[in-house]
Amino acid sequence: MTEVRPAAATSASLWERDEAVAAIERVVDALRADGGSAGRVHVLRGDAGLGKTALLAETRRIAEARNCTVWSARGGETLRSVPFNVVRQLLQPVLLSLHPEEAREYLGDWFDIAGPALGIAEPGEAPADPQGVCDGLVAAVTRLARRDWPLVLLVDDAHWADQETLRFLSAFVERLDDLSVLLVVAHRPDGLKGHSARYLATIAEAAGRSVTSLSALTPAAVAGLTRATLGGHADDPFCREVWAVTGGNPYDTVELLAKVQDRDLEATEATATELRPLNRSARGGGLVARLEGLGVDATRFAMAAAILGASITVDQAARLAGMTHETAVRCADLLRAARILTTPDPASGPVHEGDLEFVHPLIATAVYASIPEGLCKAMHGIAAEVVIDAGKGPAAASRHLLQVYADNDEELVDQLREAAREHLAVGAPDAARRCLERALQEPPAPDVHPHVLYELGCATLLTSPARTIDHLRTALALPGLDGTKRVDAVYRLSQALIHNDQVEEAVRTVEAEAARQPSGPARMRLQAVQFMWEGIHAGDGSSAGRSRKLADLAATCAGRDNAERALLILRGFDAMTHGENAEVVVEFCDRALVNGRLAPGLGWTDSEWGIELLMMLASSYAYTDRLDRADALFNEALRAYVSAGWSGGHLALAHAYLGLGLRRRGRLKEAEETLRESLRLAERVGRGLPLYWSAVCNLVDTLLARGHVQQAWDVAEQYGFAPPYPSTIVLPDPRSLRGRLLLAVGRTEDGINELEAADKAASARGHLNPVMVPWAVDLTRSLASRDPARAARLAADYRRQAERFGTDTAIGEALRCAAALETGQRAVRLAGQAVTYLEASPCQYEHAAARVEYGIAARSASELHRGLTLARECGADGLELQAQRALDGLTAPPVGLVPGQTRR
């Protein structure tokens, strides 16, 4: 028989792994060769015991031999509920080795955002944005990697990594094009679900073909390993039986051969029958029986180690097992000799006296599973006390608190609620949810129960609106949630309903609670919220009646508190959408400010009022030609969210509305850039949400303005910009924009139908502002040759509405529309009037378009040149081309003549 021996491996677990080792050498050498090259991901995939950990150890050896810096971490089966557990293992050692000020310098603005998640900074009082924390962790690794290049990151047992770490890793691999780092991830292939499976799939996709799928050893390899361990005298039948018993699993093979040595068995056919019983003692019940054979103390010590799961020390296990230090030392020695526990490998990090770990995760799993349920829960309770007594806090103890028996324990409920607050403060809402759900099982006392439900609803608001709705409805139905907290619970319930696309239900919920409240600030706040949700609802409704009620209520407001200020903002937005005079709109908006700024408690990151209210304020300024005020608000939002580390939906909306402001100002290239960033952020939050529609609509609108019709169509196709439209108002109006896009790509009938639908929807809502819902311009132009009479009526109505609204942009656009229907000197006169108004407008693209159209109508080279210059400044490539062609037409000789020849 041909024996297969490892080419360069020193560990028995690396037998028949030459190709896997060679692949690792290639990726490490590629990293080492060029510090400016893109990073790489390498995945080791295989079932338990196939040698993933041994290959990671070999990766460390190879990398360190090539002067690479290596950071490592591993998941744990009982530690998956500990947020940021694995990423802390990766980064804490290097960060704690730095002086605190040096660590702060490396992390920069991200220190206060990512530091609490890494356990190197105290968390703030407010919940942290999970996406912002994830981005902060990516930034932390990015900055440290540039210091420690070439850097290799090793993550073992990633199938047991906490969800927060997997989210970080999936985000990190998307940044490797800009960072020269090697990430090697080892995991089992099966049993993954939900977010964890999706994150690992992202990592695998980044690895591409750089994946090593491990398989069992061949009979020849097992024979070689057997003879290398026991001696060349091991005969063929014995070696074949070793393979048959272990299935070629390297871990099982090594363990079995060690037991053969312990028993001094002859490696011959005659003793081969004893291999199967020996192998059974390596896993499951057989291992437990072997453990029990070491005695009660050793068994109890091993159980305590399994409960601890990580950072096992002799002293901790002794306290948990209820034994003296001397007894614990003796048990640790017995368990080391039995290859159940071992001393950690110093290569993976600092090792202190008394540190222990299980020889293999399979052993830890078997020991933990063997603990009787009652004893297991009791030991977790003691472990929680150990952690809390050590001053590490309820969050650190929460994985143990989650496992104890439910027993009407008020102290446990308090500890779980405090743990949830700590988890939220570091950006781990899923961990907070688990703590609060466990608190409900206790159950809490009747007076505490609604408060736990309220806190649970707040924790799940961003991740699971449907769950939030159930929790908050139940909390509100119970006695005990009163005053400000009840009002806040109703507001958050309405937010969840809005996120769940249940706008009408949100309105009814707030309206009903407002009716129950006595007159005062609480009632006024709820009334403002009701008007806010009605104001963003895109469906049909009693718009006129609502507007009258809002106007009457706002007439009593002087801006004395934030509820009154909110009503003034809502009145201004309502006036803007209905096309009332722009000066009236601006007056209401200005009255909602304090010395020209947002009032305290009404800022972009304040939780009492949502982002929707402030976006209404900024949009009202944007569509009334007060772009300086709108830009100031949009930029303030962006700065606030970046500073607070909010990288999710809020930041996506801030970019979308900043893009809207840039688009209206005519800075189209900058608008496209920020809108693409908005869409990237919105994609991470999830498709179909209003913020996602805002990003897509603004980007399509900007691309059309630039003349990039095919790109606009491609974006629409890729991101699902088509009916059905969201139930909330999106700016710019999706139907109007979709109609214009269809016209631009030549689908005229479809475009007209879409614009007709936009007309109907706008009329039902009373949205008569021709700038905010600009369906009339495109519909009028498309009907000019088909139905000139209707086109003329539409143009006349549009002009009346524009003059009522009164902004230079609205009137100028109406005149452009009217000019497009005329010929001769009337067309020239109207186009010239449009230029006059739009020159005074802050909307440079519309001004440029008016100049070009006037130049064409008047056959004026000077106007065309001015329009061409403006188009170039805007980045309006299509308009620039139109102007250039018109200029070329003016300077070209008449048809049939050559240059220098004149017609007689």
Side-chain angles (χ1 to χ4, degrees), residues 375-394:
L375 178 60
C376 184
K377 290 182 178 295
M379 293 182 76
H380 273 296
I382 297 170
E385 290 178 11
V386 170
V387 173
I388 292 174
D389 290 348
K392 296 180 180 179

Side-chain angles (χ1 to χ4, degrees), residues 159-218:
H159 51 281
W160 286 334
D162 57 277
Q163 186 169 295
E164 291 77 12
T165 292
L166 291 176
R167 180 179 189 175
F168 150 70
L169 290 174
S170 68
F172 180 64
V173 298
E174 294 177 355
R175 294 283 300 275
L176 285 180
D177 286 344
D178 305 321
L179 189 65
S180 189
V181 172
L182 171 61
L183 171 66
V184 185
V185 177
H187 68 87
R188 297 180 190 174
D190 301 320
L192 302 173
K193 299 178 181 178
H195 293 299
S196 297
R198 190 176 77 245
Y199 294 144
L200 280 176
T202 300
I203 295 168
E205 184 178 347
R209 290 186 293 179
S210 188
V211 176
T212 297
S213 294
L214 302 178
S215 57
L217 300 179
T218 63

Side-chain angles (χ1 to χ4, degrees), residues 277-302:
L278 276 180
N279 186 63
R280 281 197 290 269
S281 66
R283 295 196 192 191
L287 184 142
V288 172
R290 180 160 62 93
L291 175 61
E292 291 172 348
L294 299 177
V296 173
D297 287 342
T299 301
R300 195 154 39 113
F301 187 92

